[in-house]
Coordinates of all heavy atoms in Angstrom, one line a residue:
R7 N 93.3 98.6 81.6 CA 92.7 99.2 82.8 C 93.7 99.7 83.7 O 94.8 99.1 83.9 CB 91.9 98.0 83.4 CG 91.0 98.6 84.5 CD 90.1 97.5 85.1 NE 90.8 96.9 86.3 CZ 90.2 96.0 87.1 NH1 89.0 95.7 86.9 NH2 90.9 95.6 88.2
D37 N 90.5 104.0 85.7 CA 89.2 103.4 85.6 C 88.5 103.4 87.0 O 87.3 103.4 87.1 CB 89.3 101.9 85.1 CG 89.7 101.9 83.6 OD1 90.9 102.0 83.4 OD2 88.8 102.0 82.8
F38 N 89.3 103.3 88.0 CA 88.8 103.4 89.4 C 89.9 103.6 90.4 O 91.0 103.3 90.1 CB 87.9 102.3 89.8 CG 88.5 100.9 89.9 CD1 89.0 100.5 91.2 CD2 88.7 100.1 88.8 CE1 89.6 99.2 91.3 CE2 89.4 98.9 88.9 CZ 89.8 98.4 90.2
F39 N 89.5 104.2 91.5 CA 90.3 104.2 92.7 C 89.8 103.1 93.6 O 88.6 102.8 93.6 CB 90.2 105.6 93.5 CG 90.7 106.8 92.8 CD1 89.9 107.9 92.6 CD2 92.1 106.8 92.4 CE1 90.4 109.0 91.9 CE2 92.6 107.9 91.8 CZ 91.8 109.1 91.5
P66 N 85.2 106.5 89.4 CA 84.5 105.6 90.3 C 85.4 105.1 91.4 O 86.7 105.1 91.2 CB 84.2 104.4 89.3 CG 84.3 104.9 88.0 CD 85.3 106.0 88.0
V67 N 84.8 104.7 92.5 CA 85.7 104.2 93.6 C 85.1 102.8 94.1 O 83.9 102.6 94.1 CB 85.7 105.3 94.7 CG1 84.3 105.6 95.2 CG2 86.6 104.8 95.9
A68 N 86.1 102.0 94.4 CA 85.8 100.6 94.8 C 86.2 100.4 96.3 O 87.4 100.4 96.5 CB 86.4 99.6 93.9
P69 N 85.3 100.2 97.2 CA 85.8 99.8 98.5 C 86.3 98.4 98.6 O 85.7 97.5 97.9 CB 84.5 99.9 99.4 CG 83.4 99.9 98.4 CD 83.9 100.3 97.1
H70 N 87.3 98.1 99.4 CA 87.7 96.8 99.7 C 86.8 96.3 100.9 O 86.4 97.2 101.7 CB 89.2 96.7 100.2 CG 90.2 97.1 99.1 ND1 91.4 96.6 99.1 CD2 90.1 97.9 98.0 CE1 92.1 97.1 98.0 NE2 91.3 97.9 97.3
G92 N 75.7 104.6 95.1 CA 76.1 104.5 93.6 C 77.4 103.8 93.4 O 77.9 103.8 92.2
V93 N 78.0 103.2 94.4 CA 79.2 102.4 94.2 C 78.9 101.2 93.3 O 77.8 100.5 93.5 CB 79.8 101.9 95.6 CG1 80.9 100.9 95.4 CG2 80.3 103.1 96.3
E94 N 79.7 100.9 92.4 CA 79.4 99.8 91.4 C 80.5 98.7 91.4 O 80.4 97.8 90.6 CB 79.3 100.3 90.0 CG 78.1 101.2 89.9 CD 77.9 101.8 88.5 OE1 78.9 101.9 87.8 OE2 76.8 102.3 88.2
R95 N 81.5 98.8 92.3 CA 82.6 97.8 92.3 C 83.0 97.6 93.7 O 83.2 98.5 94.5 CB 83.7 98.3 91.4 CG 84.8 97.3 91.2 CD 86.0 98.0 90.6 NE 85.8 98.7 89.3 CZ 85.8 98.1 88.1 NH1 86.2 96.9 88.0 NH2 85.5 98.8 87.0
I96 N 83.3 96.3 94.1 CA 83.8 96.0 95.4 C 85.0 95.0 95.2 O 85.0 94.1 94.4 CB 82.7 95.3 96.3 CG1 81.6 96.4 96.7 CG2 83.3 94.7 97.5 CD1 80.5 95.8 97.4
V97 N 86.0 95.2 96.1 CA 87.1 94.3 96.1 C 86.9 93.4 97.3 O 86.9 93.8 98.5 CB 88.5 95.1 96.3 CG1 89.7 94.1 96.3 CG2 88.7 96.1 95.2
A130 N 74.6 93.8 91.1 CA 74.7 95.2 91.3 C 76.2 95.7 91.3 O 76.4 96.9 91.1 CB 74.1 95.5 92.7
F131 N 77.1 94.8 91.6 CA 78.5 95.2 91.7 C 79.4 94.4 90.8 O 79.2 93.2 90.6 CB 79.0 95.0 93.1 CG 78.3 95.8 94.1 CD1 77.3 95.2 94.9 CD2 78.6 97.1 94.4 CE1 76.6 96.0 95.9 CE2 78.0 97.9 95.3 CZ 76.9 97.3 96.1
E132 N 80.4 95.0 90.2 CA 81.5 94.3 89.6 C 82.4 93.8 90.7 O 82.8 94.7 91.6 CB 82.2 95.2 88.6 CG 83.3 94.5 87.9 CD 83.4 94.9 86.4 OE1 82.6 95.8 86.0 OE2 84.4 94.4 85.7
L133 N 82.8 92.6 90.8 CA 83.6 92.1 91.9 C 85.0 91.7 91.6 O 85.3 91.0 90.6 CB 82.9 90.9 92.5 CG 81.5 91.1 93.1 CD1 80.9 89.8 93.7 CD2 81.5 92.2 94.2
E134 N 85.9 92.3 92.3 CA 87.3 92.0 92.2 C 87.8 91.1 93.4 O 87.3 91.3 94.5 CB 88.2 93.3 92.3 CG 87.7 94.5 91.5 CD 88.1 94.4 90.1 OE1 89.2 94.0 89.8 OE2 87.2 94.8 89.2
D164 N 84.5 88.8 89.0 CA 84.7 89.2 87.6 C 86.1 89.4 87.2 O 86.5 89.1 86.1 CB 84.0 90.6 87.3 CG 82.5 90.6 87.6 OD1 81.8 89.8 86.8 OD2 82.0 91.2 88.5
N165 N 87.0 89.8 88.2 CA 88.4 90.1 87.9 C 89.2 89.8 89.1 O 88.6 89.8 90.2 CB 88.6 91.6 87.6 CG 87.7 92.2 86.5 OD1 87.8 91.8 85.4 ND2 86.8 93.0 86.9
Y194 N 94.7 91.3 86.9 CA 95.5 92.6 86.8 C 96.7 92.6 87.8 O 96.5 92.4 89.0 CB 94.6 93.8 87.1 CG 93.5 93.9 86.1 CD1 92.2 93.3 86.3 CD2 93.7 94.6 84.9 CE1 91.2 93.4 85.4 CE2 92.7 94.7 84.0 CZ 91.5 94.1 84.2 OH 90.5 94.2 83.3

Side-chain angles (χ1 to χ4, degrees):
R7 190 179 92 169
D37 292 85
F38 65 95
F39 292 125
V67 59
H70 295 208
V93 169
E94 292 177 342
R95 186 190 304 272
I96 289 176
V97 183
F131 299 98
E132 183 142 358
L133 296 180
E134 311 281 320
D164 297 295
N165 309 293
Y194 296 90

